[in-house]
Amino acid sequence: AQRVTQPEKLLSVFKGAPVELKCNYSYSGSPELFWYVQYSRQRLQLLLRHISRESIKGFTADLNKGETSFHLKKPFAQEEDSAMYYCALKGSGGSNYKLTFGKGTLLTVNP
Amino acid sequence: NAGVTQTPKFQVLKTGQSMTLQCAQDMNHEYMSWYRQDPGMGLRLIHYSVGAGITDQGEVPNGYNVSRSTTEDFPLRLLSAAPSQTSVYFCASSRSGTNEQFFGPGTRLTVL
């Protein structure tokens, strides 16, 4: 069975501070990992995916297969980063409609 | 494009009532899914469809029915609402071969 764990329900940082949202997964094969974000009063949207190895809005995430982690990082948090963040996993051989989501981390960036 | 649309935005039901949550997309996506979002539980997959005429169960299908008669529409039916179905419901769609799901704005359902 595949599982995604986000250990922090809430994370609060000050503007300009580094931020790391943790995500650990359990899956026996080669997973694909994603971060989705939900800003206040907006719909859920894709932030980044590990395959692309891209940086979006200053956020990066590296897949660490040894530690089965996909932590989301940003060196200098901004107030507009305040949102709910979900880590999600798609198992190999599965299709993109069968994502397993973590329970989410609510990030608050204080001025 | 309107993307993924959902109606209604809010709904209050009494226990035992039935209703249909509507979801439509205009992006010609093959895949459509329904999730429910509960505090502390994240998003859980209810039902999904890989194309018109094809549906399957997700993680929490009990109490819900779906059908997919067209590519565009994927309604979710509650036959006999229960308080445990109080939640925010999200519909999502995606194109075959891509990894990005596009979400609707959600329907907030309260069952009294």
Side-chain angles (χ1 to χ4, degrees):
Chain A
Q2 54 196 55
R3 181 177 296 175
V4 176
T5 303
Q6 293 180 249
E8 304 138 327
K9 285 187 178 180
L10 305 170
L11 184 61
S12 181
V13 301
F14 285 102
K15 177 183 175 181
V19 62
E20 181 179 55
L21 290 85
K22 291 183 168 52
C23 172
N24 290 92
Y25 66 90
S26 174
Y27 185 71
S28 57
S30 295
E32 294 181 42
L33 277 298
F34 309 86
W35 277 100
Y36 279 80
V37 60
Q38 187 175 27
Y39 301 103
S40 178
R41 298 191 180 87
Q42 295 187 28
R43 61 186 70 191
L44 202 68
Q45 58 187 287
L46 179 66
L47 180 62
L48 54 79
R49 68 199 86 182
H50 90 270
I51 289 179
S52 301
R53 304 180 69 84
E54 58 199 343
S55 174
I56 302 294
K57 298 184 179 182
F59 284 98
T60 59
D62 292 318
L63 179 61
N64 186 323
K65 293 187 177 180
E67 296 182 358
T68 60
S69 67
F70 188 57
H71 303 327
L72 183 68
K73 301 177 183 179
K74 185 170 183 177
F76 307 103
Q78 302 299 314
E79 290 181 67
E80 54 266 29
D81 296 328
S82 296
M84 177 70 82
Y85 290 81
Y86 291 97
C87 183
L89 177 153
K90 180 175 84 71
S92 59
S95 296
N96 52 356
Y97 51 83
K98 294 192 75 175
L99 288 177
T100 298
F101 284 85
K103 295 183 178 181
T105 298
L106 180 61
L107 173 65
T108 301
V109 181
N110 301 297
Chain B
N1 288 348
V4 180
T5 58
Q6 291 182 238
T7 57
K9 288 186 178 181
F10 302 94
Q11 183 70 49
V12 179
L13 293 177
K14 294 182 179 179
T15 297
Q17 286 185 315
S18 62
M19 81 158 294
T20 300
L21 280 63
Q22 301 292 343
C23 174
Q25 53 90 11
D26 60 359
M27 297 175 283
N28 202 33
H29 285 171
E30 297 89 345
Y31 302 139
M32 296 188 75
S33 313
W34 275 104
Y35 294 88
R36 58 178 290 173
Q37 182 186 44
D38 301 292
M41 298 297 291
L43 280 82
R44 292 180 292 171
L45 182 64
I46 305 172
H47 285 285
Y48 62 92
S49 169
V50 301
I54 305 171
T55 64
D56 206 345
Q57 297 180 350
E59 179 185 356
V60 288
N62 292 340
Y64 307 95
N65 283 343
V66 292
S67 60
R68 184 95 180 271
S69 56
T70 67
T71 299
E72 294 78 19
D73 301 297
F74 191 43
L76 179 71
R77 298 185 186 85
L78 285 71
L79 298 179
S80 180
S84 61
Q85 294 178 304
T86 294
S87 186
V88 181
Y89 292 85
F90 288 99
C91 179
S93 73
S94 55
R95 187 183 301 280
S96 173
T98 70
N99 289 320
E100 180 173 4
Q101 291 203 17
F102 292 84
F103 284 82
T107 294
R108 185 174 295 274
L109 175 68
T110 301
V111 183
L112 303 176

